[in-house]
Amino acid sequence: MNRPWVLALAPLLMIATAITASAQSTVCWYYWPNVTINPGQGLLVQVTGGSYGLYVFTPSQYTKWSRGMVTYSLYSTQVNVGAYLVRIPPGTYYVVLYPVKCGQLVNARVSAIGLAPTGVSSMMPMNTTAVLGYFSISSMRAWNGSYTAVNVIKAPMSGASLQLNAVVMVKLSNGGVQEYWVQDALMFITDANVLNVADNTWNFTEPNANVSSYLVKGLGSVHTYSAGSYYGYLGKGARYNLPLAGYLEVNVTVINGSVVVMFGYALIRNGSIYGPPVIKWFDNVTLGVNASGAFIETTPYSLTGNGGSYDVELVFGGYYSGEQTTFESMYAQLAIMYWDGFGWSPYQDIYNFGLNTGESATDLVASIAQNGNVQLTVGIPYYGLLSSVFKPTIPTSFVEVIYPNGTSLSFYVLNETTVTLPPVIRGSGVLYLFKGLLVNQNGAVRLLGNNSITITPTSGEFSVNVIIGNYSRYILLSLSSTFPINVTLPNGTFTTTKMVSWVEAGSRVIIKVRYAYLFNNLTRFITLNSTAINLTITKPLNLTIGWVRQYIVNVSSVVPISINGTLMLHFIGWVNEGSTIRLLVPRFTYFGNGTRFMALNASTISLTVTGPINAMVTWVRQYFVKITSPVPITVNGSSVANATLWVNAGGIINVTIPRYYMINGNVRLRPLNTSTLVTVDGPLNLTVTWVRQFLVRVLSPVPVLVNGSLTVNFTGWVNESSVLFIEAPGYYWLNNGSRLMLLNQSRIRLIINGPINVTIAWVRQYMVNLVSVAPVTVNDTTVEVLSGWFNEGSVLNVTLSAVNLGNGTRLIPLNESGVVKVDKPLNLTVSWLRQYLVTVSSPLAINVNGTWTRSYVNWVNAGNLLVIKVTRARVGANMTIIKPIGIVINGVLHHALTVNATVDMPLTITVEWGVSYIAYYALALLAVTLVTIALLIRARGG
């Protein structure tokens, strides 16, 4: 819940040893160097012994001052034992206590704190076993929407707390001591008017001391945080209203060596409701530390083991976890007191801020109100000593006045007050006469004869005063009746039709009433009350004897009906005037044999009784007629299927059955019955029988047999489960080189169980004839003659290539290879060209069909002309003469230089040549002649 800022700011506490200005100087001082004050913070100086001058220097001012130079300080004042909160600008400072005795430690601490919790606190030297905090809140609304509050510590934005905090000193049996800081708090969510009680216990014995879950027990539990652990408890929430006033109390005792810290509260006012000052103890925390004694200690002369203050605080602040909150509105009064052994006494020296509490308020101002209490309002905070003689005024005397009419009045008295009760109290039909007072003062009860008492408020202790008025009570009795009645009162018996009288409460009254007054027109009056009424008068009574007029009612029926909820055939009796006879007439009454009665009256009949009644219910006999048909037929002009109906006895049913009932375009039903008229004279069962038929289609481009009938594209309705036979030939001849070949079975047997579309599948075929004198390849098959039927659209892949007949003869196709699509009858003939192999060879070039060559090998079309020409003679390389001898064709020598040969067989042709040396000799002679001439020319020139 609450983490004390003395723990959170403990690292800022700096205590230095005394130093002197020079070795010979006898003047010493204490100082705290480099104390940093951040924006929004102040300097807290707490002196626990002695009287000093307090100086706050900047670092440069301190340097001059410590060297004996004349300088100014930022702040200076005289301080004694107590707490001082100094407001200075943000910065780094030296804090000095001067002068001090050299070599002697100073009991003081210095720390930087932000905004403090606001309220009332005291360090007045005192040891006590209980402390009490009084609060009275007239206006309060807190609001903190900061990121840290909402998202980090997750405090309610309108949360605030009022805390009674104190330090418990525990004396251990072994001579040691322990210190605990305890918090008794009210946790407020101000925008919802919800409060919780809560308490915390912290170990202040030394810095970062822990709380052991083994030793500390209560309704709460031990929690850990970054610097240690603590005990905490949070109660359930409750609603509150303003004004709100009450007490917080912390009580300490030792039981069997354990310290018991009791946390309590009392709400003496919650809105307009006052309550007695009875403390409700919501948590008792046991410290199992083997103690010899324990008490709540306050003192300004020392600090706790962790540097905390020995103070008692009743302060407002944030919700928990050190939250700093802002109050949009606040008016409250506070006071703190201690138990002096006989009563509650106020602490005298009080401050307006808390020294140990971590939660704070940004904008609360505390002052002393006219009644002596500490008063809190919204404003700019100022922290310091409020009073050295605190004299609060707190309500301790509770008064509750209880009146005889059940009302009460509660209040507190601060001065001597006289309470007076009236001698007569008048109410509605009630009269109270005063007899005396019953007074209970703190358990002491006494009776008074007069109607006044004076209450003197107590001082220093609580008192509860309960005043009860003792009165005699009288009740107003009023009686009336249309017919005479007998009334017996304590003072006599009277016959009357009207009476008004005051009767003492508790008196007995007897009233006797005649039951009925009978008249001669089937009418009577009866009383609505008992004929003998015995009353004990405890409250105002206005009694009217009630009477009601009644008439004779007679209702009958041939079958049972409900008359006012009861089944019966006949009702006769007296019924109140204006009441309703409710007849629930069943629409039908069944007899279990196909017969029923139908009521002709309405099913619900309400008869308002305004006079004598004689009524009868009328019925008609009906018979059950069941008409079974899977599909609608017309019954008495209405379309029905599987109809059941009740028909009046003697009624006529007109049943009209259609010729067909179409379920869909492919399924229908055909009736086996015919339309008829039926006279109903008993239960009747009529069944219409149908046969299911399915639409059957047999599609064929040429005639086939369907159930023995030759037809093309048959369409007809066929009974369910019938057998349909379809026969078709394997081929259907079209006599034009075309035919149709059946793809189905030639005989098909079908059992009809649903609509069927049967397509007789045919494929058109054409006759294909192929003639060739030499083999060809058709669809990878070698044939010379092909004749057969081929499906329409099929493809013939015809491959043609040269055919070698051997012995130098071959055939060449004149057609081209290709793909033939069969889309009509085909007659295909392959044409061929005969060729012969012609081989011509010669050692010297010759002319073959215009081309000079020495070797000619080629296939030549039969009948072609081959022209071979040979030169007459030619000179060889060695001056020889080469001359053709002749042309040899297939072994026959031809001496002509040109031969025209018709190619009608394979030809082997060679050219033969002969060699002559005459040219050689002539050339040799020519060469000699040329040499000789050359020599002669040379000689002349020389």
Side-chain angles (χ1 to χ4, degrees), residues 527-805:
T527 180
L528 297 177
N529 305 90
S530 172
T531 57
I533 303 173
N534 295 311
L535 301 175
T536 299
I537 305 303
T538 58
K539 59 183 178 180
L541 180 61
N542 187 359
L543 178 61
T544 297
I545 304 300
W547 300 88
V548 63
R549 186 190 300 268
Q550 291 187 328
Y551 299 102
I552 284 289
V553 175
N554 184 9
V555 179
S556 61
S557 172
V558 296
V559 296
I561 62 173
S562 173
I563 301 176
N564 286 345
T566 303
L567 284 177
M568 60 182 68
L569 291 172
H570 185 219
F571 169 81
I572 185 169
W574 290 97
V575 179
N576 293 348
E577 181 184 31
S579 62
T580 300
I581 301 295
R582 186 177 179 84
L583 306 181
L584 295 180
V585 180
R587 182 62 176 164
F588 305 100
T589 300
Y590 296 87
F591 295 95
N593 57 355
T595 304
R596 74 178 184 184
F597 279 91
M598 180 180 72
L600 297 182
N601 306 90
S603 59
T604 301
I605 303 172
S606 294
L607 301 175
T608 301
V609 179
T610 58
I613 295 176
N614 188 13
M616 177 176 290
V617 180
T618 307
W619 302 83
V620 64
R621 184 185 299 270
Q622 290 185 326
Y623 294 109
F624 181 71
V625 177
K626 180 178 181 181
I627 301 175
T628 303
S629 174
V631 295
I633 60 175
T634 301
V635 178
N636 290 341
S638 299
S639 180
V640 295
N642 290 331
T644 59
L645 61 157
W646 290 88
V647 181
N648 293 347
I652 296 176
I653 299 176
N654 184 358
V655 180
T656 303
I657 304 172
R659 291 183 60 216
Y660 301 104
Y661 180 83
M662 299 299 298
I663 296 177
N664 54 49
N666 296 314
V667 183
R668 74 179 185 181
L669 298 179
R670 182 173 64 86
L672 300 180
N673 309 87
T674 59
S675 301
T676 184
L677 292 174
V678 180
T679 299
V680 179
D681 53 7
L684 184 64
N685 284 324
L686 295 177
T687 300
V688 180
T689 305
W690 300 79
V691 61
R692 186 181 298 268
Q693 291 185 325
F694 301 105
L695 185 62
V696 176
R697 294 182 179 90
V698 180
L699 305 178
S700 174
V702 295
V704 295
L705 289 174
V706 179
N707 282 348
S709 299
L710 192 65
T711 182
V712 175
N713 294 334
F714 168 82
T715 299
W717 291 93
V718 181
N719 290 349
E720 184 177 25
S721 300
S722 297
V723 177
L724 190 71
F725 289 99
I726 304 172
E727 296 179 83
Y731 299 97
Y732 187 85
W733 302 92
L734 301 177
N735 298 324
N736 57 352
S738 302
R739 72 179 184 183
L740 297 178
M741 183 181 71
L742 181 67
L743 296 180
N744 307 90
Q745 299 176 3
S746 61
R747 180 175 173 82
I748 301 173
R749 180 178 182 271
L750 299 174
I751 298 176
I752 306 304
N753 290 317
I756 296 178
N757 289 322
V758 180
T759 299
I760 305 301
W762 302 83
V763 63
R764 184 178 294 273
Q765 292 184 327
Y766 297 106
M767 173 60 73
V768 176
N769 293 310
L770 185 144
V771 179
S772 175
V773 299
V776 298
T777 301
V778 180
N779 291 345
D780 298 327
T781 301
T782 301
V783 298
E784 291 186 8
V785 177
L786 176 66
S787 179
W789 292 93
F790 289 86
N791 292 346
E792 183 180 29
S794 61
V795 173
L796 300 179
N797 190 353
V798 181
T799 304
L800 303 177
S801 60
V803 178
N804 196 334
L805 302 178

Side-chain angles (χ1 to χ4, degrees), residues 199-200 211 213 216 218-223 230-234 283:
D199 63 89
N200 281 180
V211 173
S213 61
V216 179
L219 295 179
S221 58
V222 172
H223 306 272
Y230 69 96
Y231 168 87
Y233 168 73
L234 178 65
D283 192 18

Side-chain angles (χ1 to χ4, degrees), residues 123 154 205 235 262 475 477 497 564 614 627 702 745 787 808 837 882 941:
M123 292 183 291
K154 298 187 182 305
T205 306
M262 302 170 63
I475 307 298
L477 176 63
T497 58
N564 286 345
N614 188 13
I627 301 175
V702 295
Q745 299 176 3
S787 179
L837 181 63
I882 301 174

